Amino acid sequence: MKNKTPYTKLCDLLSQNHALETIVRLLEWDLETMMPKEGIHLRAIQIAELSQIIHKKKTSSAFEKALSACISLKTLKIKEKDLSKREEASLHLTAEDFKKNKKLPAKFVKELTQLKAESSQIWAKAREENRFEHFQPHLEKMIAMMRKSADYIGYDEHPYDALLDQYEPHMTVKTLDKVFKELKTGLIEITNVLFNRSKAPSEILSQTVSHDDQLKFCRSILATLGLSPDIARLDTSSHPFCNSIYSKDIRLTTSIKPHTFFNAIYSTLHECGHALYEAGLPYKDFGTPLGEACSLGIHESQSRFFETFIGQGKPFIHFLTSKLKGLLPNTDVEKMYEAINVVEPSFIRIESDEVTYCLHVMVRYELEKKLLDGSLKVKDLPKAWNELMKLYFGITPPSDKEGCLQDIHWSLGLFGYFPTYALGNLYAAQLHEKLREVHPNFDALVQSGHFEPIINWLQSHIYQYGREKTPEKLVTDATKKPLSAKPYLHYLKSKYKVS
Amino acid sequence: MKNKTPYTKLCDLLSQNHALETIVRLLEWDLETMMPKEGIHLRAIQIAELSQIIHKKKTSSAFEKALSACISLKTLKIKEKDLSKREEASLHLTAEDFKKNKKLPAKFVKELTQLKAESSQIWAKAREENRFEHFQPHLEKMIAMMRKSADYIGYDEHPYDALLDQYEPHMTVKTLDKVFKELKTGLIEITNVLFNRSKAPSEILSQTVSHDDQLKFCRSILATLGLSPDIARLDTSSHPFCNSIYSKDIRLTTSIKPHTFFNAIYSTLHECGHALYEAGLPYKDFGTPLGEACSLGIHESQSRFFETFIGQGKPFIHFLTSKLKGLLPNTDVEKMYEAINVVEPSFIRIESDEVTYCLHVMVRYELEKKLLDGSLKVKDLPKAWNELMKLYFGITPPSDKEGCLQDIHWSLGLFGYFPTYALGNLYAAQLHEKLREVHPNFDALVQSGHFEPIINWLQSHIYQYGREKTPEKLVTDATKKPLSAKPYLHYLKSKYKVS
C-alpha cells in the first residue's frame, strides 16, 4: 500500500468517482424499468444528491493535487516516469476532462440542472397539449444558458463547437457543415426517387405476438449476438435504451406492444449494438478514460450498424424469418424485406426509415446552430421548422406536436447532441464498407447467424480502444479513409437501387 | 432560503444522508434480484464506496456543527426554540445516533467491514464443506472485534448490552434473561406435550404449482393487504427479504420452487408484515429518525404477526383456500391447517415451526453471550451447540452444517441480533391479544379478507410513531401491558390445546 505511485493513486480516485457514476446509471435504469411509480420523488433526490457529490469529487482540490502529481495541468507535460503510451494517453484525457469540469462554475451547473428538470417537465406538458408558446420562455432561457456554457467552455470559431465537443470530441461546425452538405444533397437526390415509388404493404409487420413471446424472442437476440445473461439483461420500458453499469453488467430495454413486434426486435438490435460496444471496452482500464466509449457518434455507429446495416439487410431477414417460424403465421422473406425498408416522408424522427433519418437530423442541426448564434428567434422556431420539413420532405407537420415539440433534447439542454446521430450512420457506413472488404462472405455470415467474425473485427478495431483515439482517428485507422458521407450514400443508392 | 432555521438546516443534512442510505438499499435489492452475475465485482465496490461516504458525512464536523446549533451534545439541552415535542424527540435521537456513530473510530469501522466481507465468504465455504475448523479463526477474530466494539460503545452491566442496543434500543441482558427464562420454560413445557403427538401428513403442502402462477398468487397477497404496485413490488430471490427504499417504494422478495408453494406464500406474508410497517411510517418525517422503524424487534413483530398469528390461524386458512381453488387440486381446510401447524423438533431455525422457533433463538442467545464474555471458547462452540439442541429439542445435529454453522449472522458480526427474532414474537403476541380485544370480530375479519381494520389499528398504535418511542414504551402504550412472555405462551397453549 505504501508503494503506490502517483499514477496508481490517481487511478484509485478515478475508480471511486466512476463507481459512483455507475450507481447513477443503475438508479436511472431502475427508474425506467422496475421502480414503483411513487418512488419518483425520492429517486429525483437520490440522483441529484449523488450527482452533486460526484461533481464535487471530480473538481476537488484533492483530485487536482493527485492529477498534478502525474501531469502538469499548464504544460500537459507528463511528470511520472515509466508510463506506457496508453497510460500517458489516459493522463492527457484525465487532465482534459478535469479542465473541462472546472470551466463550468458550480453555481452555473446547479442552475442548469434545475432548469433542465423544470424545462423538461414544461416541455412534456407543452407537447401533450400542443402549446409551443408554453415551452418558448423556457427554451429561451435554456438557449441563453447554452451560450453561457459555450463561453465558459471556450471555442475558436463557432460557439456551437464548444457544445458539440461535449458529445463528439474535436468535432467542429466547419467539418460538419462540409460533410453534412454532401450528405443532405445526396439524401435529397435519393428521396426524390424513392418518395415517388409505390409503397410495399406493411401488414406483415403488425402480426400480433404476446408480450411474453416477444420478450423471450428479443432476449434470444442477445444470446445470438453473444451477450450472455451473466453480463446483460433485457427488460421493457416505454422508450428503449441501453445503460451499461459497466462492461460486465449491461441493462438493455425494448418497448413491447402486441402489434409492434418488429419495433421490439429492431430496438433490441439497436441497443445490442450499444451493449456489444460497452461489453468490449477494455476491462483492465475500467474506471479510467481508456475504459470509456470514444464518443456518442461512435456509440451510435455501433447501434445503427446492428439495427440497419445488418438488421435491415436481406441476409438478416432470412436469418430472422427462420427463427420466427412458429411464432408468426406469415414469414415471407421478400414481403418482410420490402415492408421493413419502406422509404417515405415522415414527421417523427424516431419512427423514420434509414434513408430519411439523417434528414430529420439535418433539420435539427441547422436550426440549433441558428438558435445558438441568435440568427433565429425562439418564437420563430415553429415556422422555420415547418419550412425545412417542406423543403426536405415536401410535407408540413399538422401541429408542433409532430414538429418542433417532438424531441426532449432541447428541453434538457442537449444542444450539439443531434449531429452525433447522423455521424453514427456515416461512421457505421464506413465500417460496414470495410467489413465487407475484410469478410467477402459478410452476407453469408449474417444469413447463417455467425456474427462472431464481425464482432471480433469491431472488437479489435473499435471497442478495445475506449477513448484512446479521437473519433476521427479511430474511424480513419479502422477504415483507412477519412470521415465522409460517400460510403453511406453509396450504401443507400446501392441497396435501394437508385442510380 | 435565507430564513432556514438551524433545525431545518439539520433536517436537510439528515435527508441528504438518508437519500444516500436508500441508494445502498436499492443496490442490495438489485444485487439479489436483478443483477447479471458478473456485476458482483463492481457492486461490492459501489456499496463500499457509498457506505464510506455516508459514514464520513454522518460523523463530519459540518454535521456536528449543524446538530450542535440545535441541541447541546453535552447536556442534551435543546437550543432551538418553538419546536414541537416530536421535533425535540427527533433532535434527541439524532444526537444519540451521532454520538454512537462517533464512538467507533473510522479505522475500526473499516477493519470490521473488511473482516465481515472476508469472514462471511469463509463461513459460506465452511458451511458448504461442513468444516467448522476453517471458520473458527475468523469467528475468534470477529468476537475479539465485537468485544472491542462493545468497549467503544460502552455499557453499564454486560458488554452484550452494548451490542444489543444497536438493534433493540435500551434492551438489556438483565431484562432479556428474565423474559427469556419464562419463555423457555413455557416453551419446553409445551413441546414436551406436542413432540409426543402424532404428526399430520404434509403432502397437501407440496402440491406442484408453476413459477408464474406462484408469483402471480403471491403478488395478489400484496394487493389483498393494501400494498399497491404503485408503492411495492414482489420479485424472487434465493432468500426472501424486504428492502424498503422508502415508504413509497418497497421491494419485497419471495423464494419460489415448484413443490414449495406454501413457503412462497408464508414468506410473502412475512415480508408483507415488514412492508406494511415501512409503508406506514410517518411520511412527513422521512429522512429523520422519526421516519424510521422503532427497532428490529418491533419490525419482526410485524412480520411474524402476519405470517403466523394471522397466516397460520384457521380463519386465514379458510380465506387462503377460497383463493387457491382452481390452482390446487386439494384445498381441504382442516388438512391444510394441520399440515401448516405441525410442531416437531428441527435442526434448522428458518425451517422451524412457530412453537420451536424461539427455542432456536434461545440456543444462539445463550451461546453468544458466553462467547462474548469469554466463558465459552470458539473451539468448544460445536459441542456446546449440540448440547443445547439435545437439551431443548432432544436431538443432535448430524453435522455442524445443520448445527452451529447454519446462520450467516455471526460471520457478519451480528451479535445481539438474534434476540430480536424472539422479541418480535413476544411483541406480536401482545399486539395480537390486544387486537382481539379491540376487534372481537377479529377472526371474521380475517376469514373474509378484511384486513383494513387490523392494519389501521397497527397504523395508529405502531407504524405512525416511527422511532418516537422506545420499543418498550411503544408496546406498553399500545397494549397497556409491559413486555412479557405470557401472552405468547398463552396464545400457543390455547391454539395447540395444551393445558
Side-chain angles (χ1 to χ4, degrees):
Chain A
M1 295 287 272
K2 280 172 195 161
N3 294 324
K4 280 199 172 178
T5 66
Y7 182 75
T8 322
K9 281 184 195 162
L10 177 68
C11 286
D12 284 352
L13 288 184
L14 281 170
S15 296
Q16 285 170 18
N17 296 345
H18 190 253
L20 298 178
E21 286 175 322
T22 60
I23 296 176
V24 175
R25 287 184 220 153
L26 185 79
L27 291 171
E28 285 165 347
W29 170 82
D30 182 80
L31 166 70
E32 300 291 343
T33 56
M34 299 292 160
M35 190 185 75
K37 218 166 67 182
E38 301 267 330
I40 187 66
H41 172 66
L42 178 61
R43 185 55 43 90
I45 297 173
Q46 289 170 325
I47 292 177
E49 200 55 49
L50 199 51
S51 302
Q52 218 184 331
I53 290 173
I54 294 166
H55 184 77
K56 269 189 196 164
K57 279 182 163 273
K58 284 173 120 176
T59 53
S60 69
S61 49
F63 187 81
E64 182 165 4
K65 210 178 139 193
L67 179 56
S68 301
C70 305
I71 182 171
S72 156
L73 287 171
K74 279 194 186 151
T75 63
L76 294 182
K77 212 189 138 207
I78 306 275
K79 292 181 185 171
E80 181 154 346
K81 284 172 194 166
D82 303 325
L83 291 182
S84 70
K85 285 246 169 226
R86 301 192 80 242
E87 287 167 334
E88 291 194 357
S90 178
L91 274 183
H92 278 121
L93 288 166
T94 307
E96 214 174 88
D97 291 349
F98 176 75
K99 286 161 106 179
K100 274 184 199 164
N101 287 333
K102 286 293 269 190
K103 278 178 180 168
L104 298 176
K107 204 184 148 211
F108 176 81
V109 171
K110 206 176 165 185
E111 267 174 45
L112 186 57
T113 308
Q114 276 167 357
L115 181 61
K116 281 180 195 178
E118 216 177 273
S119 144
S120 57
Q121 279 190 351
I122 300 283
W123 162 81
K125 207 159 171 279
R127 182 175 81 152
E128 204 186 306
E129 297 169 355
N130 192 37
R131 300 288 289 264
F132 177 78
E133 67 275 21
H134 289 178
F135 180 46
Q136 186 188 318
H138 287 81
L139 185 55
E140 280 164 357
K141 261 191 229 170
M142 185 55 90
I143 288 167
M145 291 290 272
M146 289 295 109
R147 280 191 206 119
K148 255 194 185 175
S149 181
D151 288 340
Y152 282 129
I153 296 169
Y155 53 87
D156 289 332
E157 296 186 1
H158 197 290
Y160 194 85
D161 289 346
L163 305 180
L164 196 52
D165 187 76
Q166 298 175 291
Y167 311 110
E168 200 65 17
H170 307 289
M171 185 51 70
T172 60
V173 165
K174 201 174 163 181
T175 305
L176 278 191
D177 278 352
K178 198 175 137 249
V179 178
F180 281 1
K181 193 183 165 189
E182 188 181 9
L183 175 63
K184 194 171 69 178
T185 313
L187 288 177
I188 290 177
E189 258 179 57
I190 299 172
T191 53
N192 278 341
V193 177
L194 296 185
F195 285 174
N196 290 313
R197 282 196 191 152
S198 65
K199 241 176 74 181
S202 67
E203 290 72 30
I204 196 166
L205 302 183
S206 48
Q207 299 177 83
T208 310
V209 178
S210 77
H211 182 280
D212 288 357
D213 282 345
Q214 288 194 37
L215 188 57
K216 205 175 150 195
F217 187 83
C218 289
R219 283 182 174 158
S220 77
I221 295 175
L222 270 66
T224 301
L225 293 174
L227 290 164
S228 131
D230 288 351
I231 67 156
R233 57 176 292 141
L234 180 77
D235 297 279
T236 60
S237 63
S238 58
H239 296 286
F241 65 88
C242 169
N243 262 20
S244 166
I245 312 305
Y246 82 132
S247 61
K248 296 185 186 300
D249 179 0
I250 304 171
R251 316 284 175 114
L252 303 87
T253 73
T254 190
S255 167
I256 292 179
K257 286 177 203 159
H259 295 284
T260 58
F261 183 27
F262 283 82
N263 283 359
I265 293 174
Y266 280 91
S267 293
T268 303
L269 273 175
H270 181 98
E271 303 311 335
C272 274
H274 285 306
L276 285 164
Y277 186 14
E278 289 287 336
L281 289 170
Y283 182 68
K284 64 183 183 308
D285 300 313
F286 160 64
T288 76
L290 295 182
E292 292 170 8
C294 178
S295 74
L296 285 191
I298 297 295
H299 230 309
E300 192 69 7
S301 77
Q302 298 310 301
S303 56
R304 294 295 279 183
F305 180 78
F306 283 94
E307 178 192 3
T308 62
F309 289 87
I310 286 192
Q312 296 185 208
K314 206 174 283 177
F316 186 81
I317 312 272
H318 271 287
F319 172 72
L320 187 64
T321 49
S322 74
K323 300 276 167 193
L324 287 172
K325 283 196 171 79
L327 211 53
L328 291 181
N330 186 351
T331 56
D332 184 291
V333 173
E334 291 305 323
K335 281 187 183 149
M336 210 169 273
Y337 177 77
E338 294 298 330
I340 283 170
N341 290 294
V342 161
V343 177
E344 60 186 338
S346 56
F347 298 118
I348 305 293
R349 173 182 58 86
I350 58 167
E351 292 169 5
S352 68
D353 54 77
E354 69 172 329
V355 178
T356 55
Y357 186 84
C358 286
L359 283 177
H360 283 281
V361 175
M362 293 302 108
V363 170
R364 287 145 183 82
Y365 171 63
E366 289 166 32
L367 294 175
E368 66 182 14
K369 267 195 308 177
K370 285 186 186 168
L371 287 169
L372 202 71
D373 68 21
S375 59
L376 174 65
K377 298 274 166 272
V378 172
K379 73 172 169 45
D380 300 325
L381 175 63
K383 197 169 154 266
W385 180 288
N386 292 351
E387 281 169 5
L388 284 185
M389 285 301 291
K390 185 77 190 163
L391 193 63
Y392 299 160
F393 294 87
I395 55 174
T396 305
S399 77
D400 294 334
K401 210 169 157 170
E402 291 89 14
C404 67
L405 278 176
Q406 70 183 267
D407 298 304
I408 194 175
H409 300 60
W410 290 340
S411 77
L412 289 173
L414 296 173
F415 281 73
Y417 191 110
F418 280 118
T420 66
Y421 289 137
L423 283 171
N425 284 287
L426 303 190
Y427 294 149
Q430 291 190 228
L431 298 172
H432 178 243
E433 190 181 74
K434 187 69 192 174
L435 256 159
R436 287 189 166 276
E437 243 178 77
V438 176
H439 290 295
N441 61 340
F442 186 87
D443 284 342
L445 288 171
V446 171
Q447 185 156 342
S448 60
H450 288 97
F451 301 101
E452 222 183 307
I454 296 168
I455 293 167
N456 285 346
W457 188 89
L458 291 170
Q459 177 67 44
S460 55
H461 290 82
I462 303 292
Y463 307 166
Q464 69 151 327
Y465 289 105
R467 274 176 69 193
E468 193 180 337
K469 303 178 180 186
T470 64
E472 203 193 337
K473 185 163 166 48
L474 185 68
V475 174
T476 310
D477 285 357
T479 65
K480 312 295 171 212
K481 282 182 186 171
L483 173 64
S484 153
K486 283 190 185 66
Y488 186 50
L489 292 169
H490 178 74
Y491 155 79
L492 291 178
K493 281 181 184 166
S494 148
K495 173 169 174 179
Y496 292 92
K497 303 189 176 62
V498 177
S499 56
Chain B
M1 294 288 272
K2 280 172 192 160
N3 292 326
K4 280 199 170 177
T5 65
Y7 182 75
T8 322
K9 280 185 197 162
L10 177 68
C11 286
D12 284 353
L13 288 183
L14 281 170
S15 296
Q16 285 169 18
N17 296 345
H18 190 252
L20 298 178
E21 286 175 322
T22 59
I23 297 175
V24 175
R25 287 184 220 154
L26 186 78
L27 290 171
E28 286 166 345
W29 170 80
D30 182 79
L31 166 70
E32 300 291 343
T33 56
M34 299 292 160
M35 191 186 75
K37 217 167 67 181
E38 301 268 330
I40 187 67
H41 172 66
L42 178 62
R43 185 53 45 89
I45 297 173
Q46 289 170 326
I47 292 177
E49 199 55 47
L50 199 50
S51 301
Q52 218 184 330
I53 290 173
I54 295 166
H55 185 77
K56 270 190 195 162
K57 278 183 163 272
K58 284 172 121 176
T59 53
S60 70
S61 51
F63 187 82
E64 182 166 3
K65 209 177 138 195
L67 178 57
S68 301
C70 305
I71 182 171
S72 157
L73 287 170
K74 279 195 185 148
T75 63
L76 293 182
K77 213 190 138 207
I78 306 277
K79 292 181 185 172
E80 182 155 344
K81 285 170 194 166
D82 302 324
L83 291 181
S84 70
K85 284 245 168 227
R86 300 192 79 241
E87 287 166 335
E88 292 194 357
S90 177
L91 274 183
H92 278 120
L93 288 165
T94 307
E96 214 175 88
D97 290 349
F98 176 76
K99 286 162 105 177
K100 273 184 199 163
N101 288 332
K102 286 292 268 189
K103 278 177 180 169
L104 299 176
K107 205 184 147 210
F108 177 80
V109 171
K110 207 176 166 184
E111 267 174 47
L112 185 57
T113 308
Q114 276 166 357
L115 181 61
K116 281 179 194 179
E118 216 177 273
S119 147
S120 57
Q121 279 190 351
I122 300 283
W123 163 79
K125 207 160 171 278
R127 182 175 79 153
E128 204 186 308
E129 297 168 357
N130 193 35
R131 301 289 288 265
F132 177 77
E133 66 275 24
H134 289 178
F135 180 46
Q136 186 188 318
H138 286 81
L139 185 55
E140 280 164 356
K141 261 191 228 167
M142 185 56 89
I143 288 167
M145 291 290 271
M146 289 296 109
R147 276 189 208 122
K148 254 195 187 175
S149 181
D151 287 341
Y152 282 131
I153 297 170
Y155 52 87
D156 289 331
E157 296 188 359
H158 197 290
Y160 193 84
D161 289 346
L163 305 179
L164 195 53
D165 187 75
Q166 297 174 293
Y167 311 110
E168 200 66 16
H170 307 289
M171 185 51 70
T172 59
V173 165
K174 198 173 166 184
T175 306
L176 279 191
D177 278 352
K178 198 175 139 248
V179 178
F180 282 0
K181 191 180 165 193
E182 188 180 9
L183 175 63
K184 195 171 68 179
T185 312
L187 288 178
I188 291 176
E189 259 179 56
I190 298 173
T191 53
N192 278 343
V193 176
L194 296 185
F195 285 173
N196 289 314
R197 283 198 190 150
S198 64
K199 240 176 75 180
S202 67
E203 290 72 29
I204 195 166
L205 302 182
S206 49
Q207 300 178 81
T208 309
V209 178
S210 78
H211 182 279
D212 287 358
D213 281 345
Q214 287 195 36
L215 188 57
K216 205 174 150 196
F217 187 83
C218 288
R219 283 181 174 159
S220 78
I221 294 175
L222 269 66
T224 301
L225 292 175
L227 290 165
S228 131
D230 289 350
I231 66 157
R233 54 176 294 141
L234 179 77
D235 297 278
T236 60
S237 62
S238 57
H239 295 287
F241 65 88
C242 169
N243 262 20
S244 167
I245 312 305
Y246 82 132
S247 60
K248 295 183 186 301
D249 179 2
I250 304 171
R251 317 284 175 115
L252 302 87
T253 73
T254 190
S255 167
I256 293 180
K257 286 177 203 160
H259 295 284
T260 58
F261 183 27
F262 283 83
N263 283 0
I265 293 174
Y266 280 91
S267 293
T268 303
L269 273 176
H270 181 97
E271 304 310 336
C272 274
H274 285 306
L276 285 165
Y277 187 13
E278 289 288 336
L281 289 171
Y283 182 68
K284 63 182 185 307
D285 299 312
F286 158 63
T288 75
L290 295 182
E292 291 169 9
C294 178
S295 74
L296 285 190
I298 298 295
H299 231 310
E300 192 70 7
S301 76
Q302 298 311 302
S303 55
R304 294 295 279 184
F305 180 78
F306 283 94
E307 179 193 1
T308 62
F309 289 86
I310 285 192
Q312 294 184 211
K314 205 173 284 177
F316 186 80
I317 311 271
H318 271 285
F319 172 72
L320 187 64
T321 49
S322 74
K323 301 277 168 193
L324 286 172
K325 284 196 171 79
L327 211 54
L328 291 181
N330 186 350
T331 56
D332 184 294
V333 172
E334 291 304 323
K335 281 185 184 151
M336 209 167 271
Y337 177 77
E338 295 299 329
I340 283 170
N341 290 294
V342 160
V343 176
E344 61 187 339
S346 56
F347 298 118
I348 305 293
R349 174 182 58 86
I350 57 166
E351 293 168 4
S352 68
D353 55 77
E354 67 173 331
V355 178
T356 55
Y357 186 84
C358 286
L359 283 177
H360 283 281
V361 175
M362 293 303 108
V363 170
R364 289 145 182 84
Y365 172 63
E366 288 166 32
L367 293 174
E368 66 182 12
K369 267 193 310 178
K370 286 185 185 168
L371 286 168
L372 202 71
D373 69 20
S375 59
L376 174 65
K377 299 274 167 267
V378 173
K379 71 171 170 48
D380 301 325
L381 175 62
K383 194 168 156 273
W385 181 287
N386 293 351
E387 282 168 5
L388 283 186
M389 286 301 292
K390 185 80 190 160
L391 193 62
Y392 299 162
F393 294 88
I395 55 175
T396 306
S399 78
D400 294 334
K401 212 169 157 169
E402 291 88 13
C404 67
L405 278 176
Q406 71 183 266
D407 297 304
I408 194 175
H409 301 59
W410 290 339
S411 77
L412 289 173
L414 296 172
F415 281 72
Y417 191 111
F418 280 118
T420 67
Y421 290 137
L423 283 172
N425 285 288
L426 303 190
Y427 294 149
Q430 291 190 228
L431 297 172
H432 178 243
E433 189 180 74
K434 186 70 192 175
L435 256 159
R436 288 189 166 276
E437 242 178 79
V438 176
H439 290 295
N441 60 339
F442 186 86
D443 285 342
L445 288 172
V446 171
Q447 183 156 343
S448 60
H450 287 97
F451 301 101
E452 221 183 306
I454 296 167
I455 294 168
N456 285 346
W457 189 89
L458 292 170
Q459 177 67 43
S460 55
H461 290 81
I462 303 292
Y463 307 167
Q464 68 151 325
Y465 289 104
R467 274 176 70 194
E468 193 180 336
K469 303 179 179 183
T470 63
E472 201 194 339
K473 183 162 166 51
L474 185 67
V475 174
T476 310
D477 285 356
T479 65
K480 312 295 171 212
K481 282 182 186 171
L483 172 64
S484 152
K486 282 190 185 69
Y488 185 50
L489 293 170
H490 178 74
Y491 155 79
L492 292 178
K493 281 182 184 166
S494 148
K495 174 170 174 179
Y496 292 91
K497 302 186 177 67
V498 178
S499 55

